[in-house]
Amino acid sequence: MADSAGQEPAEPGHTGAVAADPYDRIAWRDLYARSAALRELAAELAARHAHATDLLADAFLAAYLAAPRVRESAEMAPSRLFNREVVAELAASPGFAALRRQTAGDPYAAALAVLAEAPALRLLLDRTEPVRETADRAAGARRRAGRPARTAGETARQAGATAGALGAGATSADGAAGPASAQAIAAGQAASRAEAAARQALEAATPGIRAAARTATAQAVRVTREEAALMRAWGVSHGELERMPYEERARLAERLRTGRLARWAELIGRFRQMADGERARRVENATGELIGVTLGDDLSRVLPSELAHLGLPELRAVFAARYAAGELMLHHSRGEQTTGQGAVIACVDTSHSMYEEGPGGITREAWSKACALALLDQARHARRDFVGILFSAADKLQVFRFPAGRPAPVERVLEFAETFLGGGTSYQRPLSAAAALLAEEFDTAARRRGDVVLITDDECGVTEQWAREWQEARHRLGFRLFGLAVGAPTATASGSVLEALCDNLRPIEDLTDVRAAADLFRLI
């Protein structure tokens, strides 16, 4: 029998196991509308459980809310007691606190946790179907018990009204309501017995629910940590992720998890950790061991005899001219020098041979790109411009600029990492491009002492004319060239072109060794 509105009476109690305000539930509904994966999961689980979407919402809110509270069993609608037990066991799992460190306040991460919990939830729903059927029967019995009670109450009211109109006593009303009241009492007793049976079935199933909840939580912790580590490896900050729309973040995660980029994440992460460590132990402006005298414009190392010229008015102009030309006499020290002030430029060889794999399946390209991305971090920490120059043959070159004063868009960083030109190898074109960029920086911002890092696996010649122009540019702009020869021992041999060009050159034979480039991050 339907109520006065023609609808089945609502089941008493809450349908949501996690107490949440309307705004938090809006966050769930918005995410559910945006995530095809969540909707597909809900549709699949609905075949096993009539209240699957409510269960997913509870699992989401438990992970997402700042201080989630699981309702007491007495507050719940009988049909949702199973959901409440599952969520309570999730919240009591040993790994739940670790999970919430990744998901609290982050709707995307909370949804990722729910999707990671899905395999364990599927198995649990399959194994507990009798328990849920018992709960549904109890819910049905309670709804049915509500009908006679309402009928009895209505009958009593009508009888009371009739008795009042006829002048009869309350006995007439009580007698009229008697059959309906007896029916209500019987229905209520049947509902109580059904609810007791449901509670017993749920108690018997609790150890299995607890085991499934722990498995689900452990899986969610693993997945959310892996994705967080993946984002950190690629330099995507937590704040940037929180501002990113759901669809864009999901596409980014999929892009990073699949394809060849996925194999680079660990290596990139190790490079970034190593670079962070080198930055932490670097001492700026260290003097090192004094070994002689050199020329330059570093006022912190000027010889006392040069400073004495400032005491004579007629020699101050000479001092100023020599300072502008970088020809002051300075203490020459051996050891770590001060870092540059101009741009950091990574020239990365992307010729065909860079596809060659080393130990652990790491390619020369992966090693060089990981190093270049760590140099991008280095430049941003030092508030210096970064430029990535990808090169191969003389006619193949692509330049990626990341100015210090602007954010580095993750899409642009990934484009730099993914681009591969193929072909042969030419040093002249990328190094000329690097010198031109440093000259532009000097002309517009008066910054000198940039740093160029050439990463290659090949040895090639340069013309005499180009070599002269290169040395002139280096003298005028004061930049340094660091060379990393990846899997190319002949390129670092005595008398090689790289040895003649570079201030600092080293071979890289072991592609699993990120510390082979450690001193770059102290010197740059």
Side-chain angles (χ1 to χ4, degrees), residues 414-433:
L414 291 177
E415 185 183 358
F416 169 60
E418 288 182 310
T419 300
F420 192 86
L421 303 177
T425 305
S426 170
Y427 294 165
Q428 291 187 189
R429 178 92 186 277
L431 292 179
S432 294

Side-chain angles (χ1 to χ4, degrees), residues 314-328:
E314 61 272 20
L315 292 181
R316 288 174 186 167
V318 175
F319 182 93
R322 293 181 65 186
Y323 171 69
E327 295 178 351
L328 294 174

Side-chain angles (χ1 to χ4, degrees), residues 72-411:
E72 296 298 327
S73 298
E75 302 177 68
M76 298 300 299
S79 62
R80 306 307 199 280
L81 283 172
F82 177 83
N83 286 4
R84 187 261 171 202
E85 192 67 21
V86 172
V87 175
E89 292 297 343
L90 285 173
S93 296
F96 191 69
L99 175 63
R100 286 182 37 74
R101 283 194 287 272
Q102 304 291 337
T103 61
D106 185 343
Y108 174 90
L112 182 65
V114 172
L115 293 170
E117 291 165 352
L121 294 180
R122 287 190 191 97
L123 187 59
L124 175 64
L125 292 176
D126 285 341
R127 290 177 174 175
T128 56
E129 184 177 358
V131 178
R132 290 177 286 108
E133 288 177 348
T134 304
D136 287 341
R137 284 195 295 270
R142 180 54 63 191
R143 284 194 298 270
R144 289 191 295 274
R147 298 173 196 161
R150 283 192 301 277
T151 300
E154 183 62 27
T155 301
R157 284 192 297 274
Q158 290 175 357
T162 303
L166 297 175
T171 304
S172 301
D174 294 342
S181 297
Q183 186 180 5
I185 291 170
Q189 291 172 344
S192 296
R193 288 192 296 271
E195 287 170 353
R199 284 194 296 272
Q200 289 175 358
L202 191 58
E203 288 173 6
T206 296
I209 294 174
R210 182 175 299 123
R214 292 186 175 191
T215 300
T217 301
Q219 179 70 359
V221 169
R222 184 185 66 79
V223 170
T224 54
R225 278 180 174 170
E226 285 179 357
E227 180 152 316
L230 186 65
M231 294 299 176
R232 284 195 302 271
W234 285 96
V236 188
S237 68
H238 184 70
E240 188 177 358
L241 287 174
E242 287 189 331
R243 293 189 298 271
M244 199 176 290
Y246 176 86
E247 296 87 346
E248 182 181 345
R249 186 167 171 181
R251 286 195 300 270
L252 174 62
E254 181 65 19
R255 183 177 179 182
L256 294 181
R257 278 195 300 265
T258 59
R260 62 199 186 102
L261 291 181
R263 301 176 63 190
W264 299 1
E266 183 186 356
L267 183 65
I268 292 169
R270 283 195 282 131
F271 254 107
R272 284 195 155 117
Q273 287 180 342
M274 180 270 294
D276 284 343
E278 294 303 322
R279 277 194 295 272
R281 51 187 291 249
R282 182 175 63 196
V283 179
E284 299 287 356
N285 300 317
T287 349
E289 177 190 357
L290 294 177
I291 59 173
V293 176
T294 187
L295 299 179
D297 60 359
D298 186 348
L299 295 178
S300 68
R301 295 190 290 134
V302 175
L303 265 60
S305 59
E306 289 278 32
L307 291 173
H309 293 163
L310 294 175
L312 302 173
E314 61 272 20
L315 292 181
R316 288 174 186 167
V318 175
F319 182 93
R322 293 181 65 186
Y323 171 69
E327 295 178 351
L328 294 174
M329 287 190 294
L330 313 176
H331 288 297
H332 187 200
S333 60
R334 178 169 55 202
E336 295 179 7
Q337 304 298 312
T338 56
T339 60
Q341 300 301 315
V344 176
I345 301 178
C347 298
V348 181
D349 188 348
T350 60
S351 59
H352 282 312
S353 55
M354 293 293 282
Y355 264 135
E356 186 173 326
E357 290 188 356
I362 299 173
T363 64
R364 296 173 180 180
E365 180 202 14
W367 194 97
S368 62
K369 295 281 183 65
C371 182
L373 291 173
L375 288 169
L376 168 59
D377 279 355
Q378 186 83 353
R380 299 196 77 75
H381 275 88
R383 296 180 177 83
R384 298 168 67 184
D385 290 351
F386 176 82
V387 182
I389 299 178
L390 304 180
F391 71 94
S392 56
D395 60 340
K396 293 185 177 182
L397 189 86
Q398 195 160 344
V399 177
F400 295 82
R401 303 185 73 161
F402 298 91
R406 304 178 200 167
V410 64
E411 288 293 327

Side-chain angles (χ1 to χ4, degrees), residues 335-337 451-455 474 479-485 491-492 498-508 516-524:
E336 295 179 7
Q337 304 298 312
D451 290 304
V452 181
V453 180
L454 176 64
I455 309 175
R474 288 182 63 187
F479 62 81
R480 298 175 293 182
L481 176 62
F482 296 85
L484 299 173
T492 59
L498 273 183
E499 185 191 43
L501 292 175
C502 295
D503 300 287
N504 186 309
L505 174 65
R506 85 284 320 278
I508 307 298
D519 64 327
L520 286 179
F521 301 94
R522 291 194 302 272
L523 299 173
I524 290 180

